[in-house]
Amino acid sequence: MLRQTVAVTGAAGIVGIRVVQQLCKAGYAVQALVHSQPPPGHPLYREHVTMTVMDLAALPEQAMLQWFATRRPSGLIHCAAWVDVAGCESQLSQAYLMNTRVTEMLANICTRYHTHFVLLSTEYVFDGTLCPPQVYRECDRVHPLNHYGKSKVQAEIATQATCMENTLWTICRTAVLYGSTPWNRPDFTQWLRTKLQQRATVSIATDLISSPTHAIDLANMLVAIVERKLAGIYHTAGRTAIDRYHFALQVAQHHGLDDTLIQPILAAELGAARPLNVGLCVENISHDTGIRPLSIQEGVVYSGEIERLEE
Ligand SMILES: NC(=O)c1ccc[n+]([C@@H]2O[C@H](COP(=O)([O-])OP(=O)(O)OC[C@H]3O[C@@H](n4cnc5c(N)ncnc54)[C@H](OP(=O)(O)O)[C@@H]3O)[C@@H](O)[C@H]2O)c1
């Protein structure tokens, strides 16, 4: 049977690998776009996945158009981004080139081929001034505090302006990812566990609230969006809005690590401006896909199970 093809940018990233895996499971063929050639044994070397190495920030639009013309994916899930919040503050042109201009180029190409364009965005589009336990809905006003957030808001605006009435588009805002593979940089939970195993003291903010998201759970939501051709803005995140300190305690306790090594601090002591309460409401994605995003408790247990399987 001929498989439908979906393209994934940033396919070797935390989200990208999980998206490719879940697309394959769902019966799609995947065109995986990567920044550099993955080493032997990497999970992207698998049946139904074709890889192309390219630097999206340096690629002329014409070359991307040609790539599309020969592959004709029915959907493009755009995971590639520059996610280094501090780096985006100090290197503005790099941040806006990678996060905004590349998005605009890809959205533009998708309109030419009537490809469903799916942009990964972030909770950092909000300023975090909501009072807990309130959480942000899709229709809430965006107001980013830092350049990473601003570059993603501009990517969202470019997506809507380019795709509106020309091709199907979806913006998926997610948050604090965990459940990454051993091939990725360590996520927050992996970093924390390594520190606690080394018996190092860690300082974690009690006033940074977000909706931590398991990368496989997110990938399942993205596959459902492509399958059902859902359009518009969705909050695709975990079900629990929780502050970083209590998230850390849950991870430590689940893994039998010494949680007295985790010291509470305030976000103001961390430097770069970060929004405080950016919990995301996930009612819409839940309603439209039937997927109930994982709670923190469920996600931490699930993460442990996946890790044992992948060892
Ligand atoms: N991680 C989070 O907690 C989080 C939270 C909210 C939203 N998000 C959003 O989720 C999406 C995926 O994030 P992630 O955590 O999976 O990030 P990631 O692990 O850093 O993956 C991003 C990927 O993009 C690739 N990339 C960067 N510059 C590129 C370029 N010039 N050309 C081609 N590829 C390039 C990177 O390749 P190299 O590493 O080889 O450069 C990397 O594989 C992003 O849109 C991000 O804004 C993430």
Side-chain angles (χ1 to χ4, degrees), residues 9-17 33-36 53-59 78-84 94 97-99 102 119-124 148 152 172-178 180 184-185 187-188 213 215 218 244 280:
T9 68
I14 294 178
V15 179
I17 293 183
L33 294 166
V34 291
H35 202 186
S36 52
V53 178
M54 58 171 78
D55 179 352
L56 290 167
L59 194 76
H78 179 34
C79 304
W82 198 33
V83 301
D84 175 355
Q94 168 80 358
L97 170 63
M98 188 55 213
N99 292 342
V102 165
L119 168 68
L120 264 290
S121 188
T122 166
E123 81 275 41
Y124 275 34
Y148 169 63
K152 297 296 273 190
C172 299
R173 297 184 186 135
T174 191
V176 189
L177 289 158
Y178 63 104
S180 58
N184 298 112
R185 65 187 148 80
D187 61 45
F188 173 71
T213 308
L218 169 62
R244 202 63 70 88
L280 299 176

Side-chain angles (χ1 to χ4, degrees), residues 154-271:
Q154 291 196 14
E156 290 192 0
I157 293 169
T159 297
Q160 295 181 56
T162 309
C163 298
M164 196 72 77
E165 291 172 20
N166 293 317
T167 198
L168 196 61
W169 60 273
T170 319
I171 291 167
C172 299
R173 297 184 186 135
T174 191
V176 189
L177 289 158
Y178 63 104
S180 58
T181 73
W183 299 88
N184 298 112
R185 65 187 148 80
D187 61 45
F188 173 71
T189 63
Q190 294 163 341
W191 167 85
L192 175 75
R193 284 163 57 194
T194 304
K195 289 285 182 196
L196 298 184
Q197 279 155 0
Q198 295 164 345
R199 304 225 28 92
T201 302
V202 291
S203 299
I204 311 284
T206 52
D207 55 348
L208 275 182
I209 299 173
S210 59
S211 301
T213 308
H214 195 285
I216 298 180
D217 205 24
L218 169 62
N220 287 334
M221 295 183 231
L222 296 172
V223 172
I225 282 170
V226 168
E227 276 175 337
R228 291 162 188 250
K229 302 192 189 315
L230 298 178
I233 302 177
Y234 282 97
H235 288 173
T236 46
R239 197 166 86 235
T240 311
I242 187 172
D243 70 80
R244 202 63 70 88
Y245 174 72
H246 284 94
F247 180 31
L249 290 183
Q250 293 228 13
V251 172
Q253 286 156 9
H254 178 77
H255 291 279
L257 295 164
D258 181 0
D259 61 10
T260 62
L261 295 167
I262 306 174
Q263 307 287 317
I265 55 161
L266 291 176
E269 297 169 51
L270 291 172

Side-chain angles (χ1 to χ4, degrees), residues 50-101:
T50 309
M51 244 187 292
T52 309
V53 178
M54 58 171 78
D55 179 352
L56 290 167
L59 194 76
E61 186 162 341
Q62 194 54 35
M64 194 71 215
L65 260 174
Q66 275 168 10
W67 186 90
F68 249 72
T70 52
R71 272 81 173 184
R72 298 289 184 109
S74 59
L76 169 65
I77 304 180
H78 179 34
C79 304
W82 198 33
V83 301
D84 175 355
V85 176
C88 287
E89 283 308 296
S90 57
Q91 294 178 62
L92 298 190
S93 56
Q94 168 80 358
Y96 288 93
L97 170 63
M98 188 55 213
N99 292 342
T100 309
R101 286 225 287 282

Side-chain angles (χ1 to χ4, degrees), residues 123 125-130 136-144 153 156 173:
E123 81 275 41
V125 298
F126 297 116
D127 60 17
T129 53
L130 269 191
Y136 284 98
R137 305 189 75 93
E138 286 83 351
C139 56
D140 284 330
R141 188 180 71 100
V142 295
H143 182 227
V153 165
E156 290 192 0
R173 297 184 186 135

